[in-house]
Structure formats: structure tokens, C-alpha cells
Amino acid sequence: MRSTSENRPVLVVDIGNTNIVCAVYRNTQIDWSVRLSSSYVKTADEYFASLNSLLQGYCRDQDQEAKALIPRDFFACIALGSVVPELTRIWKHLFRKYFSAEVYEISALSPLGISYKVPNPSFIGSDLVANAYAAWIKYASAAIVIDLGTATTLQVVSKTGGFEGAIIAPGLKTGAANLFSSAAQLYELEMVSPPVLLGTNTSEAVLSGIIHGHAFMLENFVQQLKRQYFDQHPLLTILTGGMAELMKPLVPSVDLVDKSLTTDGFFLALQKLLANN
């Protein structure tokens, strides 16, 4: 990374409602990532203990000495994106206490060159901003981005970096959990590709309803968006999020899966901010 001659790694932290993804970037490439559960009862010290332990393994993989505590100057800088204000405060405290790196918080107000259709885009989630920016910069194309997280989001970014808007729907696992908790005779199932469309037992029927139902929703949204934004042709459709590999075969309009799109977006945004300084 051009901001530091020592070529120290960069930490990206993406805080979501269900998970916190921590990723290490070195030489502009993602080098390591880990997923932690989002918890409102954990302290900054407890989060650091988990992160520090996992980073020991990363250091050993890099043939580096694994010390009891990761050095304060281990990271050149930190990119933070969050949709959970309470956890943002906890992680900022963690960064101040345990690292000397400067923290860059990425949001819709960050000067990235993205244009919005509203005068004050501060309400737009940082994950949507990161996805839009990564799709625009990495693929140099207008794109539909589908992110399968706690919520399923679809958004359109134009070929000139315009944030056209977003759709937010219940996530795959969120909808399934609500179904299981509300129906006494249904039980939680592993989220796998349904073997049939019409199930002949409860498990098959539930899986088909959850997985195929979500896939049909996504495919219809994509087709409708392509018709509405016909002037943006070709409109690349990118799938990301934890369930992306499962869903891709079931959504014919998806062009590619990019599992690191969101963290890549935060890292690319960080590079942009550093270049602006």
C-alpha cells in the first residue's frame, strides 16, 4: 500500500447486525479474514481478546513471530464500516486502546466520487456504500449488487458511479428463523439446495419454500431492474454474502459471485481517502 513504506498490513472491519467481518489486506489484496458474531454485551476488551487470538494464527501463517499481544503498530491503518452504532463505539474504543493506526470510518458522506439522488445520503448503510464502490471500481461497469446478509439487499450503481437506490428485504436466514419460531410443527433445517421443487416431506417442502422462494424473488427483482435501467446496459449482476455460493445456481441472471466485495469496497474506499489526503 502506497501510504506506508514498511508495507504493513491494513485492517478492514465490517460491522453488521449478525456478524463482524475482519479482513487483513496486504499489497492491495485480501490476505486473511475472519467472521465474529455481533454481540451487544461484549466489551472492547473481549472483542480484542478474540481478534488478538485469531491474529496469532495469521502471524504464524505468515512465518511471523506470534507475540502475546499484536503490536500496537501492526497495522498501517484501519478501515471501519458499520451499520450498528452501539458496536461502532465499542470497536472505536478497541482501536484507540490497542492499536496506534489511524481509523478511517467509511460512510455515504465519505468523498469517494459516488453520487446520490438525495441531498443528505447519511442514512444509507456503509455496507451499501462499500458494495456500490467496489462494483464500480473493480468491474468498471453498471451493476446490480445482491448482498445476502441479515437482510437481503439489491442495489444499482451506474457506470458513472451513481447510487441509484436499493431494495431491502428479509434475509434468507432471517426469514427462515421467523418461520421456524412461528410454526410449532416446523424445525430448523440446514440451509442447503433443495433437491426438488415440490417436496414430498416436510424438510423438502420447507427448504423449497425458503430457498426457491428467495431465488424466485431475486430473479424477478433482477429482471425488473434490468428493464427499468435498460439505458445502463450491460448491467452486471454480482452476488455476495455468506449464502452466495448456495444461491447462484438458482438465480440464472447472476453473472458472478464475489465473496469479498464488501470488504474490498471498504479497502478501496480507504485507498481513495488516503489518495485525497
Side-chain angles (χ1 to χ4, degrees):
M1 188 150 173
R2 79 176 184 88
S3 62
T4 175
S5 59
E6 305 106 317
N7 194 30
R8 286 178 294 153
V10 169
L11 177 64
V12 172
V13 178
D14 173 20
I15 300 175
N17 290 291
T18 303
N19 294 298
I20 300 168
V21 178
C22 300
V24 174
Y25 282 75
R26 192 189 290 273
N27 298 323
T28 74
Q29 299 294 323
I30 189 168
D31 211 24
W32 175 88
S33 67
V34 69
R35 190 178 297 265
L36 307 173
S37 295
S38 298
S39 170
Y40 295 91
V41 298
K42 279 188 177 180
T43 65
D45 293 337
E46 289 171 325
Y47 272 121
F48 175 74
S50 298
L51 180 61
N52 182 69
S53 176
L54 293 164
L55 283 170
Q56 304 295 327
Y58 168 72
C59 289
R60 285 189 289 269
D61 290 343
Q62 299 295 310
D63 294 323
Q64 299 177 18
E65 181 183 356
K67 300 180 180 179
L69 291 178
I70 295 296
R72 285 184 57 81
D73 63 349
F74 186 75
F75 295 112
C77 47
I78 298 170
L80 171 65
S82 176
V83 296
V84 189
E86 184 176 340
L87 295 182
T88 304
R89 291 190 290 273
I90 291 172
W91 276 80
K92 282 184 173 180
H93 178 60
L94 181 159
F95 298 143
R96 286 193 301 270
K97 185 172 182 178
Y98 292 104
F99 297 111
S100 59
E102 186 168 358
V103 179
Y104 293 80
E105 188 171 359
I106 311 300
S107 73
L109 299 180
S110 301
L112 303 177
I114 298 177
S115 60
Y116 300 92
K117 291 190 169 183
V118 291
N120 181 9
S122 59
F123 67 93
I124 297 172
S126 62
D127 53 342
L128 293 174
V129 174
N131 284 340
Y133 192 66
W136 180 37
I137 298 301
K138 289 181 70 174
Y139 299 103
S141 170
I144 299 170
V145 180
I146 305 171
D147 191 346
L148 303 172
T150 306
T152 289
T153 62
L154 298 92
Q155 62 191 108
V156 173
V157 56
S158 74
K159 63 186 71 176
T160 57
F163 185 98
E164 298 297 319
I167 297 162
I168 302 176
L172 189 63
K173 288 186 176 181
T174 304
N178 185 60
L179 175 63
F180 297 140
S181 66
S182 301
Q185 295 188 12
L186 298 182
Y187 50 90
E188 191 166 349
L189 299 171
E190 181 184 1
M191 293 292 102
V192 296
S193 185
V196 292
L197 185 61
L198 287 176
T200 56
N201 57 56
T202 301
S203 297
E204 291 178 352
V206 170
L207 275 176
S208 183
I210 293 171
I211 305 295
H212 281 133
H214 214 73
F216 296 155
M217 175 192 73
L218 294 176
E219 180 66 19
N220 187 54
F221 269 136
V222 170
Q223 293 302 325
Q224 293 288 343
L225 288 170
K226 285 186 173 181
R227 281 192 284 271
Q228 182 174 342
Y229 291 92
F230 64 89
D231 58 324
Q232 294 291 333
H233 180 80
L235 199 55
L236 187 69
T237 303
I238 306 167
L239 189 61
T240 191
M243 307 292 286
E245 297 287 356
L246 169 66
M247 296 301 294
K248 184 182 185 300
L250 304 175
V251 187
S253 293
V254 169
D255 296 304
L256 61 93
V257 170
D258 188 337
K259 294 292 289 293
S260 64
L261 186 75
T262 309
T263 56
D264 284 353
F266 287 123
F267 177 75
L268 291 168
L270 172 65
Q271 287 191 309
K272 175 69 172 177
L273 295 181
L274 291 173
N276 290 343
N277 289 341

